[in-house]
PDB file of all heavy atoms in Angstrom:
ATOM      1  N   HIS A  40      16.969  27.602 -26.884  1.00 84.00           N
ATOM      2  CA  HIS A  40      17.651  28.818 -26.413  1.00 84.00           C
ATOM      3  C   HIS A  40      16.820  30.049 -26.680  1.00 84.00           C
ATOM      4  O   HIS A  40      17.315  31.027 -27.262  1.00 84.00           O
ATOM      5  CB  HIS A  40      19.040  28.971 -27.025  1.00 84.00           C
ATOM      6  CG  HIS A  40      19.892  27.792 -26.719  1.00 84.00           C
ATOM      7  ND1 HIS A  40      20.380  27.511 -25.471  1.00 84.00           N
ATOM      8  CD2 HIS A  40      20.346  26.756 -27.515  1.00 84.00           C
ATOM      9  CE1 HIS A  40      21.081  26.419 -25.482  1.00 84.00           C
ATOM     10  NE2 HIS A  40      21.042  25.936 -26.715  1.00 84.00           N
ATOM     11  N   ARG A  41      15.537  29.961 -26.390  1.00 83.00           N
ATOM     12  CA  ARG A  41      14.647  31.123 -26.553  1.00 83.00           C
ATOM     13  C   ARG A  41      13.859  31.277 -25.252  1.00 83.00           C
ATOM     14  O   ARG A  41      13.816  30.380 -24.411  1.00 83.00           O
ATOM     15  CB  ARG A  41      13.619  30.849 -27.692  1.00 83.00           C
ATOM     16  CG  ARG A  41      14.252  30.634 -28.999  1.00 83.00           C
ATOM     17  CD  ARG A  41      13.353  29.932 -29.990  1.00 83.00           C
ATOM     18  NE  ARG A  41      12.020  30.573 -30.110  1.00 83.00           N
ATOM     19  CZ  ARG A  41      11.408  30.691 -31.288  1.00 83.00           C
ATOM     20  NH1 ARG A  41      11.962  30.261 -32.390  1.00 83.00           N
ATOM     21  NH2 ARG A  41      10.221  31.179 -31.367  1.00 83.00           N
ATOM     22  N   HIS A  42      13.296  32.411 -25.077  1.00 83.00           N
ATOM     23  CA  HIS A  42      12.516  32.606 -23.853  1.00 83.00           C
ATOM     24  C   HIS A  42      11.125  33.001 -24.239  1.00 83.00           C
ATOM     25  O   HIS A  42      10.657  34.099 -24.085  1.00 83.00           O
ATOM     26  CB  HIS A  42      13.122  33.728 -22.962  1.00 83.00           C
ATOM     27  CG  HIS A  42      14.502  33.345 -22.543  1.00 83.00           C
ATOM     28  ND1 HIS A  42      14.733  32.479 -21.478  1.00 83.00           N
ATOM     29  CD2 HIS A  42      15.713  33.685 -23.017  1.00 83.00           C
ATOM     30  CE1 HIS A  42      16.011  32.304 -21.319  1.00 83.00           C
ATOM     31  NE2 HIS A  42      16.649  33.034 -22.261  1.00 83.00           N
ATOM     32  N   ASP A  43      10.426  32.064 -24.839  1.00 88.00           N
ATOM     33  CA  ASP A  43       9.048  32.371 -25.259  1.00 88.00           C
ATOM     34  C   ASP A  43       8.117  31.172 -25.042  1.00 88.00           C
ATOM     35  O   ASP A  43       8.517  30.171 -24.430  1.00 88.00           O
ATOM     36  CB  ASP A  43       9.024  32.763 -26.740  1.00 88.00           C
ATOM     37  CG  ASP A  43       9.598  31.684 -27.600  1.00 88.00           C
ATOM     38  OD1 ASP A  43       9.889  30.571 -27.106  1.00 88.00           O
ATOM     39  OD2 ASP A  43       9.774  31.904 -28.849  1.00 88.00           O
ATOM     40  N   GLU A  44       6.892  31.306 -25.557  1.00 90.00           N
ATOM     41  CA  GLU A  44       5.917  30.260 -25.300  1.00 90.00           C
ATOM     42  C   GLU A  44       6.320  28.921 -25.936  1.00 90.00           C
ATOM     43  O   GLU A  44       5.987  27.859 -25.394  1.00 90.00           O
ATOM     44  CB  GLU A  44       4.548  30.683 -25.900  1.00 90.00           C
ATOM     45  CG  GLU A  44       3.810  31.662 -25.019  1.00 90.00           C
ATOM     46  CD  GLU A  44       4.219  33.132 -25.311  1.00 90.00           C
ATOM     47  OE1 GLU A  44       5.191  33.336 -26.089  1.00 90.00           O
ATOM     48  OE2 GLU A  44       3.627  34.040 -24.738  1.00 90.00           O
ATOM     49  N   LEU A  45       7.013  28.992 -27.041  1.00 89.00           N
ATOM     50  CA  LEU A  45       7.423  27.725 -27.700  1.00 89.00           C
ATOM     51  C   LEU A  45       8.357  26.938 -26.827  1.00 89.00           C
ATOM     52  O   LEU A  45       8.285  25.735 -26.715  1.00 89.00           O
ATOM     53  CB  LEU A  45       8.014  28.030 -29.076  1.00 89.00           C
ATOM     54  CG  LEU A  45       7.026  28.231 -30.190  1.00 89.00           C
ATOM     55  CD1 LEU A  45       7.741  28.589 -31.511  1.00 89.00           C
ATOM     56  CD2 LEU A  45       6.175  26.984 -30.419  1.00 89.00           C
ATOM     57  N   GLN A  46       9.309  27.718 -26.188  1.00 90.00           N
ATOM     58  CA  GLN A  46      10.272  27.083 -25.325  1.00 90.00           C
ATOM     59  C   GLN A  46       9.498  26.419 -24.147  1.00 90.00           C
ATOM     60  O   GLN A  46       9.806  25.294 -23.752  1.00 90.00           O
ATOM     61  CB  GLN A  46      11.284  28.102 -24.814  1.00 90.00           C
ATOM     62  CG  GLN A  46      12.319  27.523 -23.809  1.00 90.00           C
ATOM     63  CD  GLN A  46      13.327  26.658 -24.537  1.00 90.00           C
ATOM     64  OE1 GLN A  46      13.818  26.993 -25.597  1.00 90.00           O
ATOM     65  NE2 GLN A  46      13.597  25.521 -23.930  1.00 90.00           N
ATOM     66  N   GLU A  47       8.566  27.195 -23.579  1.00 91.00           N
ATOM     67  CA  GLU A  47       7.751  26.662 -22.459  1.00 91.00           C
ATOM     68  C   GLU A  47       7.017  25.392 -22.839  1.00 91.00           C
ATOM     69  O   GLU A  47       6.970  24.439 -22.120  1.00 91.00           O
ATOM     70  CB  GLU A  47       6.685  27.716 -22.055  1.00 91.00           C
ATOM     71  CG  GLU A  47       7.123  28.547 -20.883  1.00 91.00           C
ATOM     72  CD  GLU A  47       6.146  29.659 -20.605  1.00 91.00           C
ATOM     73  OE1 GLU A  47       4.899  29.369 -20.626  1.00 91.00           O
ATOM     74  OE2 GLU A  47       6.552  30.810 -20.402  1.00 91.00           O
ATOM     75  N   LEU A  48       6.451  25.435 -24.068  1.00 92.00           N
ATOM     76  CA  LEU A  48       5.696  24.229 -24.532  1.00 92.00           C
ATOM     77  C   LEU A  48       6.644  23.055 -24.652  1.00 92.00           C
ATOM     78  O   LEU A  48       6.300  21.950 -24.264  1.00 92.00           O
ATOM     79  CB  LEU A  48       5.070  24.590 -25.880  1.00 92.00           C
ATOM     80  CG  LEU A  48       4.309  23.456 -26.556  1.00 92.00           C
ATOM     81  CD1 LEU A  48       3.110  23.008 -25.725  1.00 92.00           C
ATOM     82  CD2 LEU A  48       3.828  23.872 -27.962  1.00 92.00           C
ATOM     83  N   ALA A  49       7.842  23.319 -25.167  1.00 92.00           N
ATOM     84  CA  ALA A  49       8.840  22.238 -25.316  1.00 92.00           C
ATOM     85  C   ALA A  49       9.183  21.607 -23.977  1.00 92.00           C
ATOM     86  O   ALA A  49       9.226  20.390 -23.838  1.00 92.00           O
ATOM     87  CB  ALA A  49      10.091  22.721 -26.015  1.00 92.00           C
ATOM     88  N   VAL A  50       9.359  22.484 -22.940  1.00 93.00           N
ATOM     89  CA  VAL A  50       9.701  21.971 -21.652  1.00 93.00           C
ATOM     90  C   VAL A  50       8.549  21.111 -21.086  1.00 93.00           C
ATOM     91  O   VAL A  50       8.762  20.026 -20.567  1.00 93.00           O
ATOM     92  CB  VAL A  50      10.046  23.144 -20.669  1.00 93.00           C
ATOM     93  CG1 VAL A  50      10.170  22.653 -19.248  1.00 93.00           C
ATOM     94  CG2 VAL A  50      11.338  23.847 -21.130  1.00 93.00           C
ATOM     95  N   SER A  51       7.311  21.626 -21.244  1.00 94.00           N
ATOM     96  CA  SER A  51       6.167  20.852 -20.739  1.00 94.00           C
ATOM     97  C   SER A  51       6.057  19.532 -21.438  1.00 94.00           C
ATOM     98  O   SER A  51       5.779  18.483 -20.852  1.00 94.00           O
ATOM     99  CB  SER A  51       4.848  21.600 -21.027  1.00 94.00           C
ATOM    100  OG  SER A  51       4.909  22.863 -20.495  1.00 94.00           O
ATOM    101  N   LEU A  52       6.275  19.533 -22.770  1.00 94.00           N
ATOM    102  CA  LEU A  52       6.164  18.261 -23.498  1.00 94.00           C
ATOM    103  C   LEU A  52       7.219  17.281 -23.035  1.00 94.00           C
ATOM    104  O   LEU A  52       6.962  16.073 -22.852  1.00 94.00           O
ATOM    105  CB  LEU A  52       6.302  18.502 -25.026  1.00 94.00           C
ATOM    106  CG  LEU A  52       5.090  19.148 -25.675  1.00 94.00           C
ATOM    107  CD1 LEU A  52       5.374  19.493 -27.144  1.00 94.00           C
ATOM    108  CD2 LEU A  52       3.876  18.198 -25.622  1.00 94.00           C
ATOM    109  N   ASN A  53       8.439  17.772 -22.815  1.00 95.00           N
ATOM    110  CA  ASN A  53       9.512  16.876 -22.328  1.00 95.00           C
ATOM    111  C   ASN A  53       9.101  16.304 -20.987  1.00 95.00           C
ATOM    112  O   ASN A  53       9.368  15.120 -20.681  1.00 95.00           O
ATOM    113  CB  ASN A  53      10.834  17.637 -22.223  1.00 95.00           C
ATOM    114  CG  ASN A  53      11.507  17.716 -23.585  1.00 95.00           C
ATOM    115  OD1 ASN A  53      11.185  16.980 -24.520  1.00 95.00           O
ATOM    116  ND2 ASN A  53      12.487  18.604 -23.692  1.00 95.00           N
TER     117      ASN A  53
END
Side-chain angles (χ1 to χ4, degrees):
H40 303 290
R41 300 161 51 143
H42 298 281
D43 59 6
E44 283 85 354
L45 277 177
Q46 178 72 45
E47 263 173 45
L48 178 62
V50 171
S51 307
L52 285 174
N53 279 343

